[in-house]
Short mmCIF file of all heavy atoms in Angstrom, two decimals:
data_model
loop_
_atom_site.label_atom_id
_atom_site.label_comp_id
_atom_site.label_asym_id
_atom_site.label_seq_id
_atom_site.Cartn_x
_atom_site.Cartn_y
_atom_site.Cartn_z
N MET A 174 -7.96 -2.15 -31.93
CA MET A 174 -9.23 -1.70 -31.72
C MET A 174 -9.79 -0.85 -32.80
O MET A 174 -10.87 -1.16 -33.33
CB MET A 174 -9.55 -1.02 -30.38
CG MET A 174 -9.64 -1.91 -29.22
SD MET A 174 -11.01 -3.00 -29.24
CE MET A 174 -12.33 -1.93 -28.60
N PRO A 175 -9.08 0.08 -33.35
CA PRO A 175 -9.51 0.86 -34.55
C PRO A 175 -9.70 -0.06 -35.77
O PRO A 175 -10.82 0.17 -36.43
CB PRO A 175 -8.36 2.06 -34.73
CG PRO A 175 -7.67 2.02 -33.48
CD PRO A 175 -7.76 0.60 -32.87
N THR A 176 -8.88 -0.98 -35.94
CA THR A 176 -8.98 -1.84 -37.06
C THR A 176 -10.31 -2.68 -37.04
O THR A 176 -11.08 -2.84 -37.87
CB THR A 176 -7.79 -2.76 -37.25
OG1 THR A 176 -6.54 -1.93 -37.12
CG2 THR A 176 -7.71 -3.48 -38.48
N LEU A 177 -10.53 -3.27 -35.79
CA LEU A 177 -11.68 -4.05 -35.61
C LEU A 177 -12.97 -3.19 -35.66
O LEU A 177 -13.90 -3.68 -36.19
CB LEU A 177 -11.55 -4.73 -34.22
CG LEU A 177 -10.60 -6.03 -34.11
CD1 LEU A 177 -10.43 -6.46 -32.66
CD2 LEU A 177 -10.84 -7.05 -35.10
N ALA A 178 -12.93 -2.04 -35.16
CA ALA A 178 -14.10 -1.11 -35.07
C ALA A 178 -14.44 -0.68 -36.52
O ALA A 178 -15.63 -0.77 -37.00
CB ALA A 178 -13.76 0.12 -34.28
N ALA A 179 -13.47 -0.48 -37.31
CA ALA A 179 -13.64 -0.10 -38.72
C ALA A 179 -14.14 -1.27 -39.54
O ALA A 179 -15.08 -1.27 -40.35
CB ALA A 179 -12.37 0.39 -39.40
N MET A 180 -13.64 -2.50 -39.19
CA MET A 180 -14.12 -3.72 -39.91
C MET A 180 -15.62 -3.93 -39.49
O MET A 180 -16.36 -4.35 -40.37
CB MET A 180 -13.28 -4.95 -39.46
CG MET A 180 -11.87 -4.94 -40.07
SD MET A 180 -10.78 -6.13 -39.35
CE MET A 180 -11.51 -7.66 -39.93
N TYR A 182 -17.71 -1.72 -38.83
CA TYR A 182 -18.60 -0.82 -39.62
C TYR A 182 -18.68 -1.18 -41.08
O TYR A 182 -19.84 -1.21 -41.60
CB TYR A 182 -17.98 0.63 -39.45
CG TYR A 182 -18.64 1.64 -40.36
CD1 TYR A 182 -20.02 1.86 -40.19
CD2 TYR A 182 -17.88 2.36 -41.21
CE1 TYR A 182 -20.64 2.82 -41.09
CE2 TYR A 182 -18.48 3.22 -42.12
CZ TYR A 182 -19.85 3.47 -42.06
OH TYR A 182 -20.44 4.41 -42.89
N LEU A 197 -0.02 6.93 -41.63
CA LEU A 197 -1.05 7.82 -41.11
C LEU A 197 -1.04 7.79 -39.55
O LEU A 197 -0.65 6.76 -38.94
CB LEU A 197 -2.39 7.35 -41.65
CG LEU A 197 -2.69 7.34 -43.15
CD1 LEU A 197 -4.00 6.89 -43.52
CD2 LEU A 197 -2.42 8.82 -43.73
N ASN A 198 -1.52 8.91 -38.92
CA ASN A 198 -1.54 8.88 -37.54
C ASN A 198 -2.83 8.17 -37.05
O ASN A 198 -3.63 7.78 -37.95
CB ASN A 198 -1.61 10.43 -37.02
CG ASN A 198 -2.85 11.12 -37.42
OD1 ASN A 198 -3.92 10.68 -37.38
ND2 ASN A 198 -2.63 12.40 -37.82
N TYR A 199 -2.91 7.82 -35.81
CA TYR A 199 -3.92 6.96 -35.25
C TYR A 199 -5.37 7.37 -35.74
O TYR A 199 -6.09 6.43 -36.21
CB TYR A 199 -3.80 6.93 -33.75
CG TYR A 199 -4.59 5.99 -32.97
CD1 TYR A 199 -3.96 4.67 -32.70
CD2 TYR A 199 -5.80 6.20 -32.44
CE1 TYR A 199 -4.55 3.70 -31.96
CE2 TYR A 199 -6.52 5.10 -31.73
CZ TYR A 199 -5.74 3.96 -31.52
OH TYR A 199 -6.39 3.05 -30.70
N ALA A 200 -5.73 8.59 -35.49
CA ALA A 200 -7.18 9.02 -35.89
C ALA A 200 -7.35 9.02 -37.40
O ALA A 200 -8.40 8.55 -37.88
CB ALA A 200 -7.42 10.34 -35.25
N THR A 201 -6.38 9.53 -38.10
CA THR A 201 -6.64 9.59 -39.61
C THR A 201 -6.59 8.12 -40.14
O THR A 201 -7.46 7.89 -41.02
CB THR A 201 -5.39 10.32 -40.19
OG1 THR A 201 -5.26 11.56 -39.61
CG2 THR A 201 -5.55 10.49 -41.70
N ASN A 202 -5.80 7.27 -39.64
CA ASN A 202 -5.78 5.85 -40.02
C ASN A 202 -7.26 5.24 -39.81
O ASN A 202 -7.77 4.57 -40.64
CB ASN A 202 -4.80 5.04 -39.23
CG ASN A 202 -4.16 3.93 -39.97
OD1 ASN A 202 -4.58 3.66 -41.11
ND2 ASN A 202 -3.22 3.21 -39.30
N PHE A 203 -7.76 5.56 -38.57
CA PHE A 203 -9.11 4.91 -38.23
C PHE A 203 -10.13 5.53 -39.27
O PHE A 203 -10.96 4.73 -39.80
CB PHE A 203 -9.39 5.29 -36.85
CG PHE A 203 -10.87 4.91 -36.45
CD1 PHE A 203 -11.24 3.59 -36.52
CD2 PHE A 203 -11.81 5.95 -36.09
CE1 PHE A 203 -12.58 3.26 -36.18
CE2 PHE A 203 -13.08 5.53 -35.84
CZ PHE A 203 -13.49 4.22 -35.83
N LEU A 204 -10.14 6.86 -39.38
CA LEU A 204 -11.18 7.43 -40.31
C LEU A 204 -11.01 6.86 -41.74
O LEU A 204 -12.04 6.57 -42.36
CB LEU A 204 -11.05 8.98 -40.26
CG LEU A 204 -11.46 9.65 -38.98
CD1 LEU A 204 -11.20 11.11 -39.10
CD2 LEU A 204 -12.93 9.38 -38.60
N ARG A 205 -9.77 6.67 -42.19
CA ARG A 205 -9.60 6.17 -43.52
C ARG A 205 -10.09 4.68 -43.55
O ARG A 205 -10.88 4.28 -44.53
CB ARG A 205 -8.09 6.10 -43.88
CG ARG A 205 -7.84 5.62 -45.28
CD ARG A 205 -6.42 5.64 -45.70
NE ARG A 205 -6.14 4.82 -46.84
CZ ARG A 205 -6.11 3.48 -46.86
NH1 ARG A 205 -5.97 2.87 -45.68
NH2 ARG A 205 -5.85 2.83 -47.95
N MET A 206 -9.85 3.93 -42.59
CA MET A 206 -10.35 2.47 -42.57
C MET A 206 -11.87 2.45 -42.55
O MET A 206 -12.45 1.44 -43.11
CB MET A 206 -9.85 1.69 -41.39
CG MET A 206 -8.25 1.44 -41.47
SD MET A 206 -7.82 0.22 -40.18
CE MET A 206 -7.56 1.34 -38.79
N CYS A 207 -12.48 3.56 -41.99
CA CYS A 207 -13.99 3.55 -41.93
C CYS A 207 -14.56 4.08 -43.28
O CYS A 207 -15.53 3.52 -43.80
CB CYS A 207 -14.42 4.50 -40.80
SG CYS A 207 -14.25 3.87 -39.22
N PHE A 208 -13.99 5.10 -43.83
CA PHE A 208 -14.67 5.94 -44.90
C PHE A 208 -14.02 5.71 -46.31
O PHE A 208 -14.54 6.20 -47.32
CB PHE A 208 -14.85 7.27 -44.46
CG PHE A 208 -15.64 7.46 -43.29
CD1 PHE A 208 -15.13 8.11 -42.12
CD2 PHE A 208 -16.98 7.04 -43.22
CE1 PHE A 208 -15.92 8.25 -41.02
CE2 PHE A 208 -17.71 7.19 -42.10
CZ PHE A 208 -17.19 7.76 -40.98
N ALA A 209 -12.74 5.09 -46.37
CA ALA A 209 -12.13 5.01 -47.71
C ALA A 209 -12.86 3.83 -48.46
O ALA A 209 -13.41 2.90 -47.86
CB ALA A 209 -10.78 4.70 -47.55
N TYR A 215 -8.53 8.20 -50.91
CA TYR A 215 -9.20 8.80 -49.68
C TYR A 215 -8.43 10.17 -49.31
O TYR A 215 -7.21 10.16 -49.29
CB TYR A 215 -9.08 7.88 -48.49
CG TYR A 215 -9.60 8.47 -47.21
CD1 TYR A 215 -10.82 8.63 -47.03
CD2 TYR A 215 -8.70 8.93 -46.28
CE1 TYR A 215 -11.31 9.17 -45.77
CE2 TYR A 215 -9.09 9.40 -45.02
CZ TYR A 215 -10.43 9.56 -44.80
OH TYR A 215 -10.91 10.14 -43.66
N MET A 225 -11.55 13.78 -33.99
CA MET A 225 -11.67 12.39 -33.63
C MET A 225 -10.63 12.02 -32.53
O MET A 225 -11.01 11.36 -31.56
CB MET A 225 -11.37 11.46 -34.95
CG MET A 225 -11.80 10.02 -34.69
SD MET A 225 -13.45 9.51 -34.85
CE MET A 225 -14.02 9.59 -33.16
N PHE A 229 -11.27 10.77 -28.74
CA PHE A 229 -10.57 9.63 -28.13
C PHE A 229 -10.05 9.96 -26.75
O PHE A 229 -10.13 9.27 -25.79
CB PHE A 229 -9.50 8.96 -29.04
CG PHE A 229 -10.11 8.32 -30.29
CD1 PHE A 229 -9.30 8.14 -31.42
CD2 PHE A 229 -11.38 7.85 -30.35
CE1 PHE A 229 -9.69 7.50 -32.48
CE2 PHE A 229 -11.85 7.19 -31.39
CZ PHE A 229 -11.06 7.07 -32.56
N PHE A 381 -20.78 8.78 -38.94
CA PHE A 381 -20.96 7.45 -38.33
C PHE A 381 -22.44 7.24 -38.05
O PHE A 381 -23.20 8.11 -37.67
CB PHE A 381 -20.24 7.44 -36.98
CG PHE A 381 -18.75 7.40 -37.12
CD1 PHE A 381 -17.99 8.60 -36.87
CD2 PHE A 381 -18.15 6.30 -37.48
CE1 PHE A 381 -16.68 8.60 -37.02
CE2 PHE A 381 -16.75 6.27 -37.59
CZ PHE A 381 -15.96 7.41 -37.37
N MET A 385 -22.67 2.94 -34.31
CA MET A 385 -21.23 2.83 -34.15
C MET A 385 -20.80 3.84 -33.03
O MET A 385 -19.48 3.79 -32.57
CB MET A 385 -20.57 3.42 -35.45
CG MET A 385 -20.36 2.33 -36.46
SD MET A 385 -19.30 0.90 -35.98
CE MET A 385 -17.67 1.87 -35.97
N VAL A 388 -19.31 1.97 -30.10
CA VAL A 388 -18.09 1.27 -30.51
C VAL A 388 -16.81 2.28 -30.47
O VAL A 388 -15.80 1.97 -30.04
CB VAL A 388 -18.17 0.83 -31.97
CG1 VAL A 388 -16.90 0.31 -32.54
CG2 VAL A 388 -19.32 -0.29 -32.08
N LEU A 389 -17.13 3.51 -30.86
CA LEU A 389 -16.01 4.63 -30.77
C LEU A 389 -15.72 4.85 -29.31
O LEU A 389 -14.52 5.05 -28.96
CB LEU A 389 -16.52 5.87 -31.41
CG LEU A 389 -16.89 5.69 -32.89
CD1 LEU A 389 -17.30 7.02 -33.45
CD2 LEU A 389 -15.70 5.15 -33.70
N LEU A 392 -13.56 1.90 -28.33
CA LEU A 392 -12.19 2.07 -28.93
C LEU A 392 -11.24 2.94 -28.05
O LEU A 392 -10.18 2.60 -27.64
CB LEU A 392 -12.43 2.66 -30.27
CG LEU A 392 -11.18 2.73 -31.26
CD1 LEU A 392 -11.65 3.19 -32.66
CD2 LEU A 392 -10.17 3.81 -30.81
#
Side-chain angles (χ1 to χ4, degrees):
M174 278 299 275
T176 310
L177 289 173
M180 288 169 75
Y182 172 55
L197 300 176
N198 66 42
Y199 194 86
T201 306
N202 210 357
F203 171 63
L204 291 176
R205 180 179 169 279
M206 288 191 282
C207 289
F208 299 119
Y215 174 75
M225 189 81 264
F229 289 161
F381 292 103
M385 278 294 291
V388 172
L389 301 179
L392 188 169

